[in-house]
Amino acid sequence: MTALQRSPWFTAVAVGAALLLSSCGLGGGSTTGEVEVGGEVKGTIRFQTMQLSPTFDKYLSGVVDAFEAAHPGTTVEWTDIPADAAARKTSADAIAGTLPDVLDLDIATLAPLGRKGLVVDMAKSASDLRGGYVASAWDSFALGDTGAAALPWYLNTPVLISNQAVLRKAGLLGSPEPTGYDDLLARSAQIAKSAGVAGFQPTGSSFSSYLLTVGAPLVDADSTKAVVNTPEAVAFVQKLAELYKTGGIPRDSITAKDRSEIETFSEGKTAYLESGGSRLKIIKENSPATFAEVAVGKPLGDATKRTWLVAHGLAVPKSSGNLPTALAFAKFLTSAENQLALAKQSSVFPSTTSSLQDPFFAIGDGDLTATARRIAAASLRDGKTIVQPPAADSEYAAALWSAVQPAILGKSSPAEALADAEAKLTKILQERQQ
Amino acid sequence: MTALATEPRVRTQARRPEPPPRRRHRWFVPLLFVGPALVLQLTFLFLPLANTFVLAFTNASTIGGGTFTGLANFTELMSDTTFWHAVGRTFVYMLVAVPALVIISTCLAVLVNTRLRGTALVRPLLFSPMVLPLAVIAVVFQYLLDSDGLVNQILAGLQLVSEPVPFLSDPDLALFSLTAVTVWKGCALYTLITLAALQNVSAELDEAAQLDGAGWLRRTVGVTLPQIRGTTVMIAILAAIATLRVFTEPYIITGGGPGDSTQTIVVYLFQKGISPGTDAGYASAISLVLFVFVLTVSSISWLISRKARA
């Protein structure tokens, strides 16, 4: 009788414990070893994009239909998720073992999956395609021991947008464009003095790109130690601190949100904005008066071949139940012709070098959007972009920006702040090795 | 005779009806009523809570994997200066916000409870922060407190300052600016609670004091407020718990900056374990320590209130 009374409790405890342990996520639910990607291309796969619907519904449906027609017996189920939910959904899916078969992700979101070896290493499974992609784009997906965590899909790289009205007020209209950050900082001081307007607004997410462009390598060769406390970086932060005092950068830029720099520029509060050409559309819609005064030029890393790059890639989780079809679809979608078709109806750039040779990227004088496209495509085509070390991801960027803020405000010295940043960042990098 | 003899029997039968058949309660019927709520609570509250306890002893990441590491997370936490700075900042936040919330909401409730012209208009205005999401309030205050925001424009217009006050970009000032946002938002709810308590205050005592010649202030301080002491203590406890867990204001308005000057415990937890960091095990350990802090503060407040009542 006692045994009979206890049994429901034992069952409840056992079920509870099982649920608890399975919910812990300690198992991971995904394969981490080597996987076989060969086999027949057939069956159903799930494909997930990041905020491409509804703008690109027609394009993506067309590509899916074309793939299914080229590979009879296959079905691609496409879903689209908001960009701000991507990180959380990816984590939840990874724990539950329900990651889609093909994932469109940016490097920051993909980084944890790549470092843990949860996605197919394209450097092994699609090594023959490497030569067809922009080198910096391919290299940007090297995450931990995974040579290439995704096939590069669409890219973006900046141009320098300037407000001619502010430059006119500062007496700089017609002067040569700044060719690097040294130039930009010197000019910002001059603009603040002459026109009472800031030169540009530094941002947290781009700060590691600034340091990379001025010559700080960010991490050492094996990504186990941060390297930001260099003379170039100290000089850069020192100049930013001086600009903060004199109004060369906006007063609220230290705590401003990312993307607020576009708003600041649109309001005529800054003279320069280094950003993707797609921002021109936002400026035109929000502030036609400023747009009428806008000009675009080469990015600040052009002369030193250190222009930053943003890449989205198509990853195939090892947990996929249909790896051959998933890989075939990722290759199909990132093929040169499909990427060119996407680029022609958007403001992004293809990651395939042959697509960048298309005349579409060579035309464009007079029209600002076309000019921006020509300049940015040239950066990609001519090898002027630099791959940021994958270890310098969003966590790295946030910690770095937080550490240098007191120095920019004049509350600590740049050398102290960068030494502090280096120690904190090295700790983060070393924890990842464990 | 026969009729007379049988009538009482009939009455007796009418007075004593057949007892209704005994209703049999199945053991699972109550479970059907509480079941849905219980399942929801179990899935979305107790299971994650238990999960946090387990994860705190692992090196799990947000994408899964990880092994049990014993007390390693807690050992690291003890020597994590960033964490202890966040703890210090959170307690400063609490020590500033809680008295402000209690005093201001009590004063407002007393004023609103007083029969004055215009209180009908003041009430809805006073409670309007309650209907606004905190994220919206945070964004509004970000615009208000910017260097060219409304507050600085007013201060400059009144010629009180020559330079904009860096409410959000000065590391020494930012935390207190955020505290003001918390106080503004929290006052509405706590005023409402205090007002409800004031409605139950004995009018006889107030009248007696008035007959004795006590003025409004004397009656309020000496008669009314002691009667709502229990509510005031409860508000203090609620406010203390809320401020220990403060997240939205620093996260949205300053992102924890400048530097780490507004990084509270929950902001640090979020940055380490959810975004951009992925160290779920360490973040769980932080949340357990926070749980202990909340429990301690609540217990101390409860003991103080019990002593006061005694």
Side-chain angles (χ1 to χ4, degrees):
Chain A
M1 188 65 198
T2 312
L4 280 174
Q5 280 175 339
R6 275 183 186 171
S7 61
W9 288 105
F10 284 140
T11 310
V13 170
V15 169
L19 275 171
L20 189 61
L21 288 171
S22 64
S23 69
C24 284
L26 293 177
S30 298
T31 317
T32 52
E34 289 298 315
V35 287
E36 177 55 50
V37 294
E40 195 180 354
V41 177
K42 65 170 186 180
T44 303
I45 55 166
R46 289 181 300 132
F47 166 49
Q48 179 185 288
T49 54
M50 206 165 147
Q51 206 154 321
L52 294 182
S53 181
T55 315
F56 300 106
D57 281 5
K58 196 177 167 188
Y59 167 78
L60 284 164
S61 300
V63 175
V64 166
D65 290 345
F67 177 77
E68 289 172 350
H71 300 90
T74 57
T75 307
V76 178
E77 293 173 355
W78 171 45
T79 53
D80 188 74
I81 58 167
D84 57 1
R88 285 194 301 276
K89 186 174 185 304
T90 304
S91 296
D93 285 349
I95 288 175
T98 56
L99 283 166
D101 300 283
V102 182
L103 282 159
D104 155 32
L105 290 177
D106 59 89
I107 296 168
T109 313
L110 182 59
L113 300 180
R115 285 198 202 102
K116 278 206 171 276
L118 297 179
V119 288
V120 170
D121 188 351
M122 298 299 179
K124 291 174 184 164
S125 302
S127 56
D128 54 319
L129 299 178
R130 181 176 185 160
Y133 291 102
V134 172
S136 55
W138 179 278
D139 293 342
S140 64
F141 288 102
L143 299 166
D145 292 333
T146 308
L151 287 179
W153 193 15
Y154 56 87
L155 311 175
N156 219 332
T157 191
V159 291
L160 187 65
I161 305 170
S162 56
N163 184 331
Q164 301 295 293
V166 174
L167 295 180
R168 193 180 302 120
K169 199 174 168 188
L172 290 168
L173 196 63
S175 304
E177 290 169 352
T179 54
Y181 281 100
D182 279 345
D183 267 1
L184 179 71
L185 298 175
R187 190 164 289 200
S188 295
Q190 201 177 340
I191 292 167
K193 196 175 175 185
S194 317
V197 176
F200 78 111
Q201 179 176 326
T203 64
S205 60
S206 301
F207 195 79
S208 46
S209 298
Y210 302 154
L211 292 193
L212 191 67
T213 307
V214 299
L218 303 182
V219 295
D220 65 354
D222 53 359
S223 296
T224 53
K225 186 179 180 301
V227 185
V228 290
N229 191 12
T230 65
E232 299 91 349
V234 171
F236 182 74
V237 176
Q238 181 64 50
K239 284 178 187 168
L240 278 182
E242 286 161 13
L243 285 178
Y244 183 81
K245 272 188 209 161
T246 58
I249 58 173
R251 282 180 180 276
D252 300 314
S253 55
I254 301 303
T255 48
K257 298 283 167 210
D258 277 335
R259 295 172 69 97
S260 68
E261 73 277 11
I262 305 164
E263 197 181 318
T264 314
F265 180 84
S266 299
E267 290 168 358
K269 292 177 180 173
T270 49
Y272 292 103
L273 171 69
E274 193 183 35
S275 187
S278 59
R279 305 302 186 221
L280 288 167
K281 192 180 169 189
I282 300 172
I283 298 166
K284 188 178 181 181
E285 283 171 1
N286 293 349
S287 183
T290 302
F291 186 77
E293 297 286 350
V294 157
V296 291
K298 288 180 179 177
L300 296 162
D302 188 79
T304 52
K305 296 189 173 184
R306 285 170 175 271
T307 301
W308 50 265
L309 170 87
V310 176
H312 266 240
L314 290 182
V316 175
K318 287 178 180 172
S319 58
S320 165
N322 193 349
L323 284 170
T325 309
L327 193 60
F329 181 71
K331 288 178 181 175
F332 186 80
L333 189 52
T334 57
S335 65
E337 57 272 31
N338 278 328
Q339 290 215 43
L340 182 61
L342 175 64
K344 282 186 174 176
Q345 52 188 289
S346 67
S347 55
V348 296
F349 294 89
S351 57
T352 38
T353 47
S354 60
S355 312
L356 287 165
Q357 302 293 339
D358 192 272
F360 175 71
F361 298 107
I363 54 169
D365 278 320
D367 175 29
L368 281 177
T369 308
T371 308
R373 184 169 60 227
R374 177 173 53 75
I375 293 169
S379 295
L380 293 167
R381 197 175 46 232
D382 303 341
K384 291 185 174 177
T385 52
I386 187 170
V387 53
Q388 187 161 310
D393 58 7
S394 53
E395 185 181 14
Y396 180 104
L400 174 61
W401 181 234
S402 170
V404 298
Q405 283 175 343
I408 298 173
L409 292 169
K411 301 281 179 185
S412 67
S413 78
E416 278 171 10
L418 285 166
D420 177 42
E422 205 166 79
K424 284 179 178 169
L425 293 167
T426 298
K427 191 174 172 227
I428 290 173
L429 296 175
Q430 286 175 348
E431 279 170 358
R432 286 179 189 166
Q433 307 291 323
Q434 292 166 5
Chain B
M1 185 65 197
T2 312
L4 284 171
T6 54
E7 197 171 287
R9 198 175 295 158
V10 171
R11 277 184 190 153
T12 312
Q13 279 173 355
R15 281 188 201 127
R16 290 183 187 170
E18 282 285 316
R22 198 171 171 186
R23 293 176 69 185
R24 292 180 63 197
H25 288 284
R26 305 247 179 222
W27 64 270
F28 55 82
V29 172
L31 271 183
L32 286 177
F33 287 106
V34 297
L38 205 64
V39 167
L40 282 176
Q41 291 272 10
L42 191 74
T43 312
F44 296 109
L45 184 66
F46 297 119
L47 205 59
L49 190 68
N51 197 11
T52 304
F53 273 87
V54 177
L55 284 179
F57 299 93
T58 70
N59 60 358
S61 90
T62 45
I63 57 160
T67 51
F68 283 96
T69 53
L71 293 170
N73 285 332
F74 294 94
T75 313
E76 192 185 335
L77 206 53
M78 289 304 115
S79 57
D80 185 347
T81 49
T82 312
F83 169 71
W84 289 109
H85 287 158
V87 170
R89 243 171 259 124
T90 309
F91 274 88
V92 168
Y93 206 99
M94 185 186 76
L95 291 173
V96 174
V98 172
L101 275 166
V102 171
I103 293 168
I104 295 172
S105 58
T106 306
C107 290
L108 284 172
V110 168
L111 283 175
V112 171
N113 197 43
T114 310
R115 285 175 191 168
L116 291 172
R117 189 177 289 176
T119 45
L121 184 70
V122 170
R123 281 185 198 192
L125 284 175
L126 195 61
F127 303 137
S128 59
M130 280 178 68
V131 296
L132 288 172
L134 193 48
V136 174
I137 292 172
V139 172
V140 169
F141 268 87
Q142 196 175 23
Y143 283 110
L144 287 176
L145 298 173
D146 267 353
S147 59
D148 56 354
L150 185 67
V151 176
N152 267 313
Q153 284 181 26
I154 291 172
L155 291 175
L158 295 171
Q159 297 191 328
L160 293 172
V161 293
S162 56
E163 286 281 306
V165 180
F167 288 110
L168 301 175
S169 53
D170 187 330
D172 302 325
L173 203 55
L175 193 72
F176 298 101
S177 303
L178 298 182
T179 312
V181 181
T182 303
V183 171
W184 185 82
K185 163 73 179 171
C187 266
L189 175 66
Y190 300 134
T191 302
L192 188 70
I193 296 171
T194 313
L195 192 60
L198 285 172
Q199 310 279 319
N200 293 324
V201 164
S202 165
E204 287 82 4
L205 287 175
D206 191 60
E207 282 167 15
Q210 200 170 6
L211 288 172
D212 289 342
W216 175 82
L217 186 64
R218 185 84 186 270
R219 292 201 313 277
T220 303
V221 175
V223 177
T224 310
L225 292 184
Q227 292 185 72
I228 60 161
R229 188 180 293 148
T231 306
T232 313
V233 171
M234 186 192 73
I235 284 172
I237 295 172
L238 288 176
I241 293 171
T243 48
L244 278 176
R245 294 161 57 219
V246 67
F247 171 73
T248 312
E249 296 93 322
Y251 185 72
I252 293 182
I253 299 178
T254 58
D260 54 4
S261 61
T262 56
Q263 194 179 50
T264 58
I265 298 174
V266 184
V267 170
Y268 184 60
L269 182 161
F270 188 84
Q271 288 173 345
K272 286 293 281 186
I274 298 167
S275 177
T278 56
D279 197 346
Y282 194 66
S284 299
I286 296 172
S287 67
L288 282 196
V289 174
L290 176 62
F291 178 69
V292 172
F293 287 151
V294 171
L295 212 61
T296 309
V297 168
S298 308
S299 306
I300 292 170
S301 310
W302 181 74
L303 283 173
I304 291 170
S305 69
R306 208 173 66 156
K307 204 172 178 183
R309 277 200 300 270

